[in-house]
Amino acid sequence: MKTYPDISKLIKAKEAHRRALAALPFEKKIELVFKLQQRRRFVKSGQPVRRKSRVAVK
């Protein structure tokens, strides 16, 4: 029989996160919606992410 990893911690964390989001005031929820919309637009644009160049360490 195949054994699966224990995901009970993940489920509890997800539930806690959902409760935290539900407890937010309406204004904060709207701000989150706008942030998600901006992120979606960026992802759909297909623009590559330009990271700052790192300094080479010898």
Side-chain angles (χ1 to χ4, degrees):
M1 177 177 234
K2 187 172 184 178
T3 58
Y4 295 97
D6 183 26
I7 60 167
S8 60
K9 289 181 184 178
L10 292 173
I11 293 172
K12 287 180 183 178
K14 186 174 182 179
E15 180 181 349
H17 184 68
R18 284 183 177 182
R19 289 184 187 274
L21 289 176
L24 289 175
F26 183 74
E27 292 81 14
K28 294 288 183 181
K29 291 177 184 176
I30 296 299
E31 287 176 19
L32 288 173
V33 168
F34 285 131
K35 286 181 183 179
L36 288 172
Q37 285 178 344
Q38 289 175 349
R39 187 182 302 172
R40 181 184 55 87
R41 278 191 228 113
F42 175 74
V43 169
K44 288 187 83 169
S45 73
Q47 295 177 356
V49 176
R50 294 190 176 110
R51 298 182 183 192
K52 295 180 181 177
S53 61
R54 296 182 182 179
V55 177
V57 178
K58 292 183 181 180

